[in-house]
Amino acid sequence: EPPSPRGIADEPTAATAATGRLPPPEDFTNVPGLGVQGIVEGHAVLVGRPRLLADAGIPLPSALSGALAEAEEHGRTAVVVAWDGEARGVFGVADAVKESSAAAVAELRALGLEPILLTGDNRAVAEAVAREVGIDEVHAEVLPENKVEVIKRLQAAGRVVAMVGDGVNDAAALATASLGLAMGTGTDAAIEASDLTLVRGDLKVTADAIRLSRRTLATIRGNLFWAFGYNVAALPLAASGLLNPMIAGAAMAFSSVFVVTNSLRLRAFT
């Protein structure tokens, strides 16, 4: 008798509405890039990619193989479920692309950046999403360690790489990238590994963060240029005795006020 389909999560989902409260799994293990496994009400349950089941020596029946192929043909990520050493079902999962994503990619291109989609999803899903949002280069079906390899290859080619991610599988890539940006709505592992955390789970915030960073760097350079230029111009006057100490003190204070005021202009950034 197969176990109840309960026991994969303990928070409100569509499953809880259909089956009631979900019992927590025991011996839960996350297999990076492949899926999860655990003991639910005494049954050994695996949920994830077909490779997860293959590594456990669990074959896919022909009916489930057909369902898996059909799901991928329709641009869905196929998730296989097995318990007690037997494959029982296939779920077709499709991510809904946010309405703002295409505009966000366009903004990144306008900033002179080249967007790349790096995902563990199957290629059909990845390419469908890439077409929808306007991304040309796609790396699909990559495990967490492969994401790191892709980033290292780009860096070896002389590129400065910024990585945006929100999942556990993105943590290593976020840490490897020249700039790691984690979505604040993502996992703690991704946030901990990143250099910058974006409060909102909206890709458009990425473009805003880069524009603000560039504006901040330009302001710092402007302040340094003013400070050095101002002092270099005043040094000969002071050395020749043409600069009154009181005037020099007032001029130094004015220089500091200018730098602070110039920096405060960043508060008007939108």
Side-chain angles (χ1 to χ4, degrees):
E1 185 71 21
S4 158
R6 300 176 297 165
I8 301 304
D10 58 0
E11 60 184 30
T13 61
T16 59
T19 67
R21 186 177 180 278
L22 306 179
E26 302 172 4
D27 296 328
F28 177 86
T29 303
N30 173 44
V31 184
L34 295 180
V36 296
Q37 59 189 38
I39 307 298
V40 181
E41 296 182 334
H43 301 274
V45 180
L46 291 86
V47 182
R49 292 187 179 188
R51 178 177 161 184
L52 179 66
L53 274 65
D55 290 347
I58 301 175
L60 272 183
S62 58
L64 292 186
S65 296
L68 187 148
E70 182 180 356
E72 293 184 344
E73 286 176 4
H74 287 83
R76 298 185 179 91
T77 298
V79 178
V80 186
V81 181
W83 59 79
D84 294 340
E86 183 178 346
R88 311 278 183 157
V90 172
F91 292 103
V93 181
D95 289 328
V97 178
K98 293 184 178 180
E99 295 180 359
S100 60
S101 295
V105 171
E107 286 188 25
L108 292 172
R109 288 190 182 279
L111 291 172
L113 306 176
E114 181 183 351
I116 297 173
L117 180 58
L118 186 59
T119 177
D121 289 340
N122 71 70
R123 181 159 295 278
V125 173
E127 291 181 348
V129 171
R131 285 193 299 270
E132 186 171 348
V133 300
I135 295 178
D136 298 326
E137 186 174 345
V138 178
H139 297 269
E141 301 179 14
V142 289
L143 298 176
E145 57 270 24
N146 299 130
K147 292 182 179 181
V148 172
E149 291 176 2
V150 171
I151 290 175
K152 287 182 176 179
R153 284 202 304 269
L154 292 171
Q155 291 173 329
R159 294 184 177 184
V160 177
V161 181
M163 167 75 181
V164 184
D166 63 357
V168 173
N169 294 336
D170 297 325
L174 287 167
T176 303
S178 309
L179 172 64
L181 299 99
M183 295 295 187
T185 54
T187 62
D188 291 340
I191 293 173
E192 183 67 25
S194 67
D195 302 300
L196 181 66
T197 300
L198 306 175
V199 178
R200 300 202 310 272
D202 187 343
L203 192 60
K204 291 188 70 174
V205 182
T206 303
D208 293 337
I210 293 174
R211 289 194 299 113
L212 177 58
S213 298
R214 290 180 175 179
R215 182 80 62 83
T216 301
L217 184 58
T219 300
I220 292 172
R221 288 173 173 168
N223 289 342
L224 289 173
F225 176 81
W226 165 262
F228 279 106
Y230 193 81
N231 284 278
V232 168
L235 280 174
L237 295 177
S240 62
L242 299 177
L243 193 60
N244 185 289
M246 293 184 63
I247 296 176
M252 194 64 194
F254 173 75
S255 175
S256 299
V257 170
F258 173 84
V259 168
V260 171
T261 304
N262 187 45
S263 299
L264 286 174
R265 292 190 306 120
L266 290 170
R267 298 186 63 181
F269 176 84
T270 56

